[in-house]
Amino acid sequence: MLKYYVEESGDKMEYEVIVVGAGHAGCEAALASARKGHQTLLITGNLKNVATMPCNPSIGGSAKGIIVREIDALGGEMGINADKTLIQMKMLNSSKGPSVHSLRAQADKITYPQEMLKTLKKQKKLELLEGMVEDLIVDSNEVKGVYLKDGKIIHSKIVILTTGTYLKSDILRGSTRTRSGPNNEKPSQHLSDNLKKYGFKILRLKTGTPPRIEKSSIDFSKAKKEEGDKTPYTFSHDIEPIYNVENQVPCYLIYTNSTTHKIINANLSKSSMYGGLDDIKGVGPRYCPSIEDKVTRFKDKERHQLFLEPESLYYDDIYLQGFSTSMPENIQEKMVHSLPGLSNAKILKYAYAIEYDAIYPTQIKASLETKIIKNLFTAGQINGTSGYEEAACQGLIAGINASLKLENKEPLILKRNEAYIGVLIDDLVTKGTKEPYRMLTSRAEYRLLLRHDNADLRLREYGYKVGLIDEERHNKLLEKEKTIKDLKEKLKETKITVKNVKGPYGTNVYDYLKDPTIKLEDIKEKYNLELPYSKEVLNQVEIQIKYEGYIKKVEREAQKMLSQESKQMPEDIDYNKVTNLASEAKQKLEEIRPNSIGQAMRISGVNPSDISILMIYLRKNYNE
Amino acid sequence: MNDTIAAISTALGVGAISIIRVSGNDSLNIVNKIFKGKDLTKVTSHTIHYGHIVSNEEIIDEVLVSVMLAPKTFTKENIVEINSHGGIATTNKILQLLLTNGARLAEPGEFTKRAFLNGRIDLIEADGIMNLIEAKNEKSRQLSINQLSGKVSKLIKELRDNLVSIISNIEVNIDYPEYEDIEIVTNETIYPELLKFRKKLINIINKSKDSKIINQGINVCIIGRPNVGKSSLLNTLLEEDKAIVTDIEGTTRDIVEGKITLNGIILNIIDTAGIRKTDNLVEKIGVEKSLDIINKSDLIILMLNNNEPLTKEDKKLLKMIKNKTNIILVNKNDLDTKIDYSLLPNNIIKISVNNDIGIDKLKSRIIELFNLGSFETDDLTYLSDARSISLLEKSLIKINDSIASINNNEPIDMVELSLKESWNILGEIIGETYTDELIDELFSRFCLGK
C-alpha cells in the first residue's frame, strides 16, 4: 500500500508506530510491527533507497550469517530477501567445527532493495512516506510523534528511530568535509541536536568505504578467482535455493604492493584521517581499518589482501574490498592504478570516510526502548553498531517489542545463550561501545550453542509466540523436533554387531557416531539404517550426537550465567546509597541500571569486589 | 560495612608492645573518648601521638596512637592504631573500652576483607597478607612479600597472556576466514605451543607446591597403637629442635600440636587431639576420623613395636596409609624381636626412641621424601596457598583436555573450548573472573586481628 501522504490543514494523521529510516533496521522494524497488525508508517528520505547497501555488496559473513538465520527464525525478512537476490553463496569456516559455520552471500545491490521495496509495498497496515524527520513530539518524557522538515506533524503511539549514518553525517575525502549521507543523500541536520536536547548523550562515529571500479577496465587475468560453493544453501528456513550454483558470479583476489604503499606513505598527510582534516572526532572501527591504517600500523607487511567483488548483475561497479580510504581523489587514482590488473582502471565512485552521530547505547534498555523517552525505540547504527545484519536484527527486535508494548505484553529479550542477537543487544546496553560495534563469533561465549544449523530450534518458538511465525511454519518446526528426537532414539537402539568397533565409543550407533572420524552417511549401509529424513535433520542429529559432550559443557556454563541472571535488581535501588562501592562502579551502575546481578557483573568498571558489596547490600536491605 | 571495627592486631602475650587496630568512619571519635592527650579529630593524617588510655579518669595505659585518615590506609577507611605496653590484661581492657564506646569486634579477616572490598588490594594480595601474618620463617616471609608485591599476579598474567595469544589466533581465523595472509591456525600448529605451555604450567605447579611447603610446612601425623612410643618420639623431636616455633593460642589451627624445623622447613606435627589421652586412635575415634586425619597430612609416620606381633589394628593402619606418603618406624629395637618383618615393606626404619637410635635416619628420610635438599630458595615467586595451587591444577586439566581433543581429531573450535576455560580459571587466581564462592571461602580463612 504505497501512499504519498499530503497533509491537509486541520488533518491529524495518527499511527500506532512510526519508523524513521528505511535501511535494514527500519525495514525489519516496520514489517514486524505491521505484520503484528499495528498501523505503521515508514518514513525515509528517498524511497528508491530502501534497504540499500551503501558499503560492501554482501549479506552474512562469519557470525553475521548466523544473525541472518536468527532473523529468519524469528520471522524477519533479511534472509528471504538475500536468498531472492544473491549472486554468489559460500559457507565460511566449513573446514572448522559446526559452531562456526556461517553463510555469506554476494547480494545484488540493485535487486536487493527492489525486492525489499516490493515486500514493503505489499505489506498490509504499512504505509511509506518520503520525508526528513528533524524532531520528535515529546510530552512529559513520552514520545507522541514526529516533526518533518517540511513542517508536517505526524502523531503516533510509538516511534522507532533507525536513522543509520544519516545523523549529521559528513563525507570526508582528503581535505574536504561535505555534509551529506552516503550516495549524496540528504542527511538529517537537527535530529541528533534535538535528541541531545532531550538528554541523550551523543557519540560521534566514523566508518569508511572503498572505491568502486568499472568492471571492463580491470584485467582479471592478474587476479585469483574466488568462486561460490557448489552446494546450494539458503539463509531462510522456509525456501529452497533459487539460484543456479553453476551460474554464480565470482569474486577476485589481488594484493597491494610496494608501489601502492609508497604512494600511500608519500601522501599520508593528505588523507582526511592523517592531517587532511583537523577536526575529526569520530571513532572508527578497529576491525575495519582503512588502507592508510593498514600500511602505517603494519609497516612490516609487504602486501595486503584485496577482494574485487561484483556489486550487481545490472551495472558494472566492482567493489574493491579492503581498500577503504579518505585520500583525495587524485591520490586514489594513483593508488588504484598501482594495483595488479588495475593499471587502466576507471574509478566510478571514489572512496570516502563518513562521520555520523549515534547515541550512547547504554541509554537504551534491552527491549531497545530508550530509558529517557518512553515509547521511543532505537535500532541499528544510531545505537553504535555497524553492519547490515547487526542493524536488521535490532530493527526486528525493536519492531517486535514496540508491538508487544502496544499489546501490554512483556518485551522479547533474548539471552546470551540463545542468540547472537541476545549477545549483541546485551553488549550494547551493558557495556556500551566506543567504536562502531560489529558482531564477531568471539563475542559469544556460548557460541557452540548459537549455531547456523539450529537457529530455528533456538528461536522459532519465540517467533511463533510473538506472532510472526504462522501455524504452518510452526508445525513444521514441531515435526522437525520430533523427528530429531525419534532418530536419536533409533540410533541408540541400533546395536553395533561388527567386532573391532567396540572401542571407547560404545556399542550402539549413537555412541559410535561420537568418534570424530565416523560419519552417519558412511555407516548407514553397513548397519542397514533406513534414514528417510531431510538433510537438515540428519545433519542436526549428527552434530548433536558428535558434539554432545562439548555442548553439555557449554550448557552448564550457560546455566551458571542464568542463575546470576535470575538474581533481580530491585527497581528502586539507589546506588549512591550503597556505601563502599567504588565511585566508578556507582556511576556505571546508576547509568546502566542493570536488571540482574548477572548483567551488573558484565559492566566494565564494576569489579568483583563491587559485586560482593552489592550482594551484601541487597541481602541486608531487600532480604534476598 | 558502615560500622567501626576493632581488634588486637598483634599476637597476644608475645612482644613488649601490642597494637589494637580500629577501622571505620567513627574510629577517631571512639578512640578520642578514651584517649587523654591531643584531640585526635584535629590532628593531621599519618601522625603519631603520645597520651594515655583512661577509663573514668583512671589511667589504664601509657600509649602511642597512630592516626591514619581515609583513603590512604590499609582498609581505605579511617584507621587508629593504639600501641599499648601493658601485656594481655591491659590490651584486653583497652579493646573492651573500645567496644563499649561504639566499636564492634572485628570478625576473622575483616580488616583484609575491607581492604579488598574497598578496592585497596586484589585477591592475590589479600592472600599474600594472610600468608605474611602466618609466616613462620624467613623463607615464607619473603614468599609472602613477593606475593604481595604482585610478582605472582605477574606470573599468572604472563600465563594468561601466553594462552590468550593462542586463543586469539584461533579466533581471528574464525572471524576472518578468508584472509590468506593471516597465519592459518590448525590443530597441528597449536599442538606444539600447547605442549610448551603445559610444560611451563606443570613447572609452575611443582614450584608452587614447593612454595607451599616453604610457606606452610609439611603436615605430619604420627599414628600407632597405644604404647608404641608416639609421645616419646614427639618429645625427642621437639627437644632436639633448638628453634621450636611456639604456638600462639588462637592464631593457628588448633590441630597443630607442635612444630619443628628441618632444613629450614617447618614440620607441623598434627595433633591427634584426644587420641593421645586414651592413646588409641582406632578404637576411640573410629576409622573414619583417623582417615580424615590421615588425609589432612602430607606425611604419615606409623609406629610399630619390635617386641610385639602385628595386631589387627596395626594391619588396619598399614592398609589405611598405603596410598599416602608414609614412613613406617619399628620402635623398641633394643628389645626381643616378635614382629614378623615379612609382613612389612622393605623400607621400614628401625629405631629405638629411648636410646636415641635411628632418629637421624628418620630425618634424612623426610628430607629425601620431600626433596628438601634441592629446594631452590633464590626464586620464590610462586603461589603458595592451597586455593591457588588447586586452581592451577584445574587449569592444567583443561589444557590436557584440549590436547586430548587434538589427539581425537576434533575441530579447532572444540579444542579451543577448554583453552578458554583454562584461561578463565587462571583469571580466578588473580580475581579477574568472578565467582561467588571464591570470596566467601577466601575470607573465612583469615584469622582475627588482620
Side-chain angles (χ1 to χ4, degrees):
Chain A
M1 278 211 301
L2 182 60
K3 205 154 105 188
Y4 287 95
Y5 171 69
V6 184
E7 193 187 36
E8 288 163 24
S9 57
D11 243 13
K12 198 179 164 198
M13 281 302 296
E14 260 208 61
Y15 294 87
E16 289 186 276
V17 177
I18 291 175
V19 179
V20 181
H24 302 281
C27 290
E28 296 289 352
L31 285 171
S33 147
R35 282 170 179 168
K36 279 178 58 45
H38 300 290
Q39 196 61 45
T40 305
L41 178 68
L42 177 59
I43 306 175
T44 172
N46 183 349
L47 274 171
K48 288 193 198 87
N49 278 344
V50 158
T52 50
M53 298 190 280
C55 200
N56 57 317
S58 60
I59 300 284
S62 188
K64 289 158 166 273
I66 304 178
I67 292 183
V68 181
R69 294 278 286 174
E70 293 177 351
I71 291 171
D72 185 75
L74 288 168
E77 194 61 27
M78 181 174 246
I80 295 170
N81 207 59
D83 287 335
K84 285 183 199 163
T85 59
L86 62 89
I87 54 179
Q88 191 206 87
M89 189 68 138
K90 246 184 175 173
M91 180 63 88
L92 302 177
N93 285 327
S94 53
S95 66
K96 303 186 182 87
S99 69
V100 294
H101 291 183
S102 199
L103 283 175
R104 202 259 333 272
Q106 299 300 132
D108 192 304
K109 282 198 180 184
I110 294 292
T111 55
Y112 189 95
Q114 279 174 356
E115 283 298 324
M116 188 61 88
L117 185 61
K118 272 191 218 163
T119 306
L120 293 172
K121 283 181 180 173
K122 270 192 291 191
Q123 182 59 47
K124 283 179 193 148
K125 299 243 176 194
L126 178 60
E127 293 173 30
L128 308 176
L129 175 70
E130 264 184 4
M132 186 58 64
V133 171
E134 293 287 10
D135 200 358
L136 303 171
I137 307 169
V138 179
D139 183 10
S140 31
N141 291 328
E142 191 176 334
V143 76
K144 304 278 183 185
V146 297
Y147 294 104
L148 266 55
K149 195 178 178 184
D150 60 9
K152 268 194 208 97
I153 298 171
I154 310 175
H155 291 267
S156 67
K157 290 177 184 147
I158 289 198
V159 173
I160 304 175
L161 294 179
T162 57
T163 50
T165 55
Y166 284 80
L167 291 184
K168 279 181 137 179
S169 45
D170 285 339
I171 299 284
L172 317 171
R173 204 180 275 142
S175 54
T176 55
R177 172 187 284 276
T178 320
R179 175 66 37 113
S180 165
N183 297 323
N184 295 321
E185 291 295 328
K186 303 175 290 284
S188 168
Q189 293 277 24
H190 304 293
L191 188 54
S192 72
D193 287 343
N194 284 324
L195 288 172
K196 207 186 268 175
K197 180 180 79 189
Y198 298 122
F200 285 98
K201 278 204 291 178
I202 301 293
L203 182 67
R204 190 92 175 137
L205 296 173
K206 183 192 72 127
T207 186
T209 197
R212 314 300 200 268
I213 315 290
E214 190 172 68
K215 190 176 171 188
S216 54
S217 70
I218 299 173
D219 175 6
F220 287 101
S221 69
K222 302 249 166 74
K224 187 183 158 213
K225 206 179 200 178
E226 301 271 323
E227 312 235 35
D229 284 355
K230 292 298 173 205
T231 316
Y233 294 103
T234 57
F235 284 111
S236 172
H237 297 81
D238 307 305
I239 62 175
E240 292 300 314
I242 38 187
Y243 64 102
N244 181 346
V245 287
E246 301 302 329
N247 276 345
Q248 297 180 75
V249 182
C251 296
Y252 294 88
L253 171 65
I254 57 169
Y255 293 93
T256 59
N257 52 46
S258 58
T259 316
T260 325
H261 296 190
K262 260 183 222 155
I263 297 168
I264 292 167
N265 281 319
N267 294 285
L268 204 55
S269 62
K270 292 177 187 156
S271 162
S272 307
M273 297 302 147
Y274 285 81
L277 284 168
D278 52 12
D279 54 352
I280 305 290
K281 290 196 192 78
V283 182
R286 279 167 301 171
Y287 50 81
C288 199
S290 65
I291 190 70
E292 293 96 294
D293 287 342
K294 290 183 200 169
V295 169
T296 47
R297 266 193 241 156
F298 304 97
K299 286 198 172 64
D300 298 338
K301 278 198 94 172
E302 286 166 11
R303 58 178 202 177
H304 294 280
Q305 180 174 312
L306 306 173
F307 283 103
L308 300 165
E309 301 183 15
E311 292 209 332
S312 170
L313 297 178
Y314 303 94
Y315 64 81
D316 256 358
D317 291 31
I318 296 290
Y319 177 91
L320 188 50
Q321 199 232 74
F323 212 64
S324 110
T325 175
S326 56
M327 286 285 194
E329 296 171 3
N330 61 331
I331 307 298
Q332 288 192 30
E333 291 281 352
K334 284 189 194 167
M335 285 158 59
V336 166
H337 292 151
S338 74
L339 299 170
L342 275 76
S343 51
N344 296 311
K346 188 177 167 202
I347 300 180
L348 295 173
K349 274 185 213 140
Y350 290 98
Y352 59 83
I354 182 165
E355 262 195 340
Y356 57 97
D357 280 355
I359 60 172
Y360 276 96
T362 50
Q363 301 170 103
I364 53 179
K365 303 178 197 171
S367 63
L368 298 184
E369 184 180 4
T370 69
K371 293 173 184 171
I372 297 171
I373 298 179
K374 207 177 145 193
N375 294 338
L376 177 66
F377 289 71
T378 54
Q381 273 166 311
I382 190 173
N383 288 344
T385 60
S386 153
Y388 311 143
E389 305 80 2
E390 286 87 344
C393 73
Q394 288 174 69
L396 176 63
I397 296 294
I400 289 173
N401 285 336
S403 313
L404 290 172
K405 187 139 197 218
L406 288 170
E407 297 154 20
N408 281 322
K409 289 180 187 155
E410 287 293 305
L412 174 67
I413 294 169
L414 299 172
K415 297 188 189 76
R416 298 183 72 89
N417 62 328
E418 290 178 321
Y420 273 95
I421 301 175
V423 174
L424 184 143
I425 293 175
D426 182 64
D427 277 351
L428 285 180
V429 304
T430 308
K431 297 176 184 157
T433 187
K434 291 191 182 82
E435 64 184 336
Y437 178 103
R438 178 207 151 141
M439 184 45 76
L440 302 165
T441 67
S442 11
R443 297 194 197 265
E445 58 277 56
Y446 314 112
R447 77 173 167 215
L448 181 53
L449 308 179
L450 312 183
R451 302 188 306 272
H452 163 89
D453 60 78
N454 67 358
D456 54 344
L457 301 175
R458 289 186 274 130
L459 300 172
R460 266 258 134 129
E461 195 62 41
Y462 287 122
Y464 175 67
K465 277 193 184 133
V466 300
L468 291 180
I469 294 295
D470 57 24
E471 288 294 339
E472 189 195 334
R473 284 187 287 174
H474 185 239
N475 286 335
K476 217 176 84 184
L477 171 77
L478 295 179
E479 201 180 309
K480 183 174 172 185
E481 284 172 340
K482 190 178 177 298
T483 319
I484 289 169
K485 208 173 146 230
D486 291 349
L487 177 53
K488 281 165 85 174
E489 280 309 311
K490 186 170 157 188
L491 294 176
K492 271 182 192 163
E493 284 157 14
T494 312
K495 298 279 176 236
I496 291 180
T497 46
V498 185
K499 280 177 192 168
N500 302 331
V501 293
K502 210 178 166 184
Y505 297 106
T507 52
N508 57 49
V509 172
Y510 186 95
D511 287 340
Y512 189 34
L513 273 174
K514 289 186 175 156
D515 185 335
T517 58
I518 300 299
K519 297 219 159 40
L520 190 54
E521 184 62 31
D522 303 337
I523 57 168
K524 69 176 184 198
E525 277 177 34
K526 204 163 164 186
Y527 296 103
N528 276 331
L529 285 168
E530 290 204 17
L531 300 170
Y533 306 103
S534 69
K535 232 167 61 185
E536 284 75 35
V537 167
L538 291 174
N539 183 37
Q540 186 57 232
V541 165
E542 192 150 10
I543 290 170
Q544 287 187 12
I545 294 173
K546 204 162 266 356
Y547 302 105
E548 192 176 31
Y550 293 98
I551 291 171
K552 279 194 176 145
K553 192 159 144 182
V554 178
E555 276 171 346
R556 277 198 298 273
E557 289 297 313
Q559 275 309 317
K560 278 190 216 162
M561 177 269 300
L562 291 177
S563 76
Q564 300 293 353
E565 223 60 29
S566 66
K567 291 178 192 157
Q568 295 288 312
M569 285 291 195
E571 290 252 345
D572 62 340
I573 187 169
D574 180 354
Y575 293 101
N576 288 311
K577 285 194 180 141
V578 188
T579 40
N580 295 308
L581 271 182
S583 54
E584 188 192 358
K586 256 186 209 173
Q587 183 220 322
K588 285 274 176 70
L589 287 164
E590 198 52 52
E591 177 189 333
I592 292 158
R593 300 202 62 83
N595 295 321
S596 64
I597 285 281
Q599 195 190 353
M601 284 166 68
R602 292 192 293 274
I603 299 172
S604 59
V606 176
N607 295 318
S609 54
D610 299 317
I611 296 294
S612 317
I613 291 167
L614 254 182
M615 284 164 78
I616 292 165
Y617 181 85
L618 290 181
R619 223 172 284 156
K620 249 196 225 163
N621 295 280
Y622 294 89
N623 284 328
E624 285 187 22
Chain B
M1 286 224 339
N2 293 322
D3 48 357
T4 297
I5 53 172
I8 300 164
S9 294
T10 44
L12 266 181
V14 267
I17 299 172
S18 302
I19 297 174
I20 302 140
R21 176 183 269 179
V22 190
S23 176
N25 285 342
D26 270 344
S27 47
L28 289 169
N29 288 329
I30 292 170
V31 178
N32 227 10
K33 286 188 212 165
I34 61 166
F35 180 72
K36 204 171 177 188
K38 272 189 195 163
D39 183 351
L40 296 176
T41 59
K42 300 210 168 111
V43 302
T44 36
S45 184
H46 292 78
T47 50
I48 297 178
H49 307 277
Y50 171 82
H52 295 92
I53 298 294
V54 293
S55 166
N56 300 324
E57 302 301 314
E58 181 201 345
I59 290 179
I60 305 294
D61 196 10
E62 184 184 15
V63 295
L64 284 174
V65 172
S66 320
V67 173
M68 291 160 280
L69 299 179
K72 283 189 179 167
T73 70
F74 178 62
T75 54
K76 283 190 139 183
E77 301 171 336
N78 290 337
I79 286 185
V80 180
E81 286 179 358
I82 304 168
N83 293 252
S84 82
H85 303 82
I88 299 174
T90 316
T91 313
N92 271 332
K93 174 81 185 163
I94 296 172
L95 181 61
Q96 277 306 319
L97 279 174
L98 289 168
L99 299 183
T100 50
N101 279 287
R104 169 172 71 71
L105 185 65
E107 289 163 18
E110 199 172 1
F111 289 102
T112 314
K113 184 174 182 174
R114 287 188 175 197
F116 171 70
L117 291 180
N118 290 335
R120 168 78 165 65
I121 51 172
D122 68 19
L123 276 182
I124 277 277
E125 287 174 326
D127 248 6
I129 287 173
M130 191 179 77
N131 286 340
L132 188 64
I133 302 166
E134 287 190 340
K136 300 298 187 305
N137 58 20
E138 180 54 27
K139 276 180 200 165
S140 68
R141 198 193 59 80
Q142 203 183 325
L143 195 77
S144 299
I145 288 169
N146 277 338
Q147 195 147 342
L148 208 55
S149 68
K151 272 196 182 173
V152 172
S153 301
K154 209 180 137 203
L155 190 77
I156 298 297
K157 277 180 187 151
E158 206 180 291
L159 278 177
R160 294 186 92 217
D161 283 351
N162 288 166
L163 210 46
V164 91
S165 89
I166 301 175
I167 294 170
S168 55
N169 271 329
I170 299 173
E171 295 289 300
V172 85
N173 267 263
I174 291 167
D175 277 317
Y176 296 90
E178 290 183 308
Y179 276 70
E180 298 190 349
D181 38 358
I182 293 175
E183 186 200 344
I184 293 174
V185 178
T186 60
N187 284 353
E188 288 70 35
T189 61
I190 62 165
Y191 196 68
E193 285 184 67
L194 284 183
L195 293 183
K196 215 169 99 190
F197 181 82
R198 176 166 71 174
K199 208 171 152 195
K200 195 168 169 183
L201 188 58
I202 289 174
N203 186 31
I204 289 175
I205 291 174
N206 288 338
K207 290 243 172 102
S208 297
K209 283 184 175 166
D210 288 355
S211 294
K212 181 171 176 274
I213 288 178
I214 292 173
N215 205 339
Q216 298 175 354
I218 301 166
N219 293 335
V220 184
C221 157
I222 307 174
I223 59 170
R225 276 189 298 118
N227 299 320
V228 285
K230 298 191 299 274
S231 323
S232 312
L233 175 68
L234 181 62
N235 289 332
T236 307
L237 289 172
L238 289 175
E239 273 163 32
E240 267 199 8
D241 184 30
K242 299 283 186 293
I244 294 172
V245 184
T246 32
D247 261 319
I248 303 150
E249 220 174 318
T251 58
T252 51
R253 295 180 186 89
D254 51 11
I255 61 162
V256 177
E257 188 182 21
K259 289 167 187 264
I260 61 166
T261 56
L262 193 58
N263 265 23
I265 300 299
I266 299 167
L267 302 187
N268 303 306
I269 313 292
I270 292 185
D271 188 10
T272 40
I275 301 169
R276 276 191 332 109
K277 274 180 196 149
T278 64
D279 234 55
N280 194 331
L281 173 65
V282 180
E283 279 175 27
K284 186 73 188 172
I285 57 169
V287 178
E288 235 170 78
K289 176 79 178 174
S290 30
L291 266 177
D292 189 41
I293 290 175
I294 287 169
N295 279 334
K296 277 183 187 148
S297 310
D298 303 310
L299 171 67
I300 319 292
I301 298 178
L302 170 63
M303 287 185 81
L304 301 168
N305 263 349
N306 177 50
N307 65 334
E308 289 172 280
L310 282 180
T311 65
K312 247 193 204 165
E313 287 94 333
D314 288 334
K315 286 177 187 162
K316 261 190 202 166
L317 292 173
L318 276 167
K319 209 173 157 192
M320 260 187 237
I321 61 167
K322 222 166 54 188
N323 296 321
K324 292 284 292 185
T325 308
N326 68 62
I327 298 175
I328 297 166
L329 299 179
V330 181
N331 194 17
K332 304 188 185 173
N333 266 279
D334 47 330
L335 303 175
D336 291 343
T337 300
K338 286 186 184 155
I339 197 165
D340 184 356
Y341 281 103
S342 68
L343 297 172
L344 298 175
N346 305 329
N347 60 353
I348 54 148
I349 302 175
K350 295 180 183 179
I351 60 164
S352 170
V353 178
N354 288 339
N355 300 308
D356 210 359
I357 298 170
I359 303 296
D360 287 345
K361 268 194 195 160
L362 169 63
K363 285 184 181 172
S364 44
R365 174 70 61 84
I366 296 173
I367 290 169
E368 187 190 315
L369 278 174
F370 290 89
N371 249 330
L372 301 185
S374 63
F375 265 29
E376 284 174 36
T377 48
D378 47 338
D379 179 13
L380 292 173
T381 319
Y382 291 96
L383 297 132
S384 60
D385 65 307
R387 180 187 77 91
S388 301
I389 292 176
S390 92
L391 286 171
L392 280 177
E393 285 180 327
K394 254 180 159 176
S395 89
L396 176 64
I397 290 172
K398 299 297 174 190
I399 296 297
N400 286 334
D401 284 352
S402 283
I403 290 172
S405 298
I406 292 181
N407 290 330
N408 212 6
N409 287 316
E410 303 282 5
I412 194 157
D413 44 302
M414 302 292 167
V415 173
E416 194 206 6
L417 281 174
S418 310
L419 293 182
K420 276 190 179 160
E421 282 181 286
S422 179
W423 182 73
N424 277 330
I425 293 167
L426 289 174
E428 254 175 66
I429 299 178
I430 50 173
E432 284 191 4
T433 346
Y434 181 79
T435 52
D436 257 341
E437 309 81 14
L438 174 73
I439 293 165
D440 293 343
E441 194 196 304
L442 193 81
F443 286 105
S444 67
R445 284 173 34 224
F446 282 77
C447 59
L448 184 74
K450 257 283 189 181

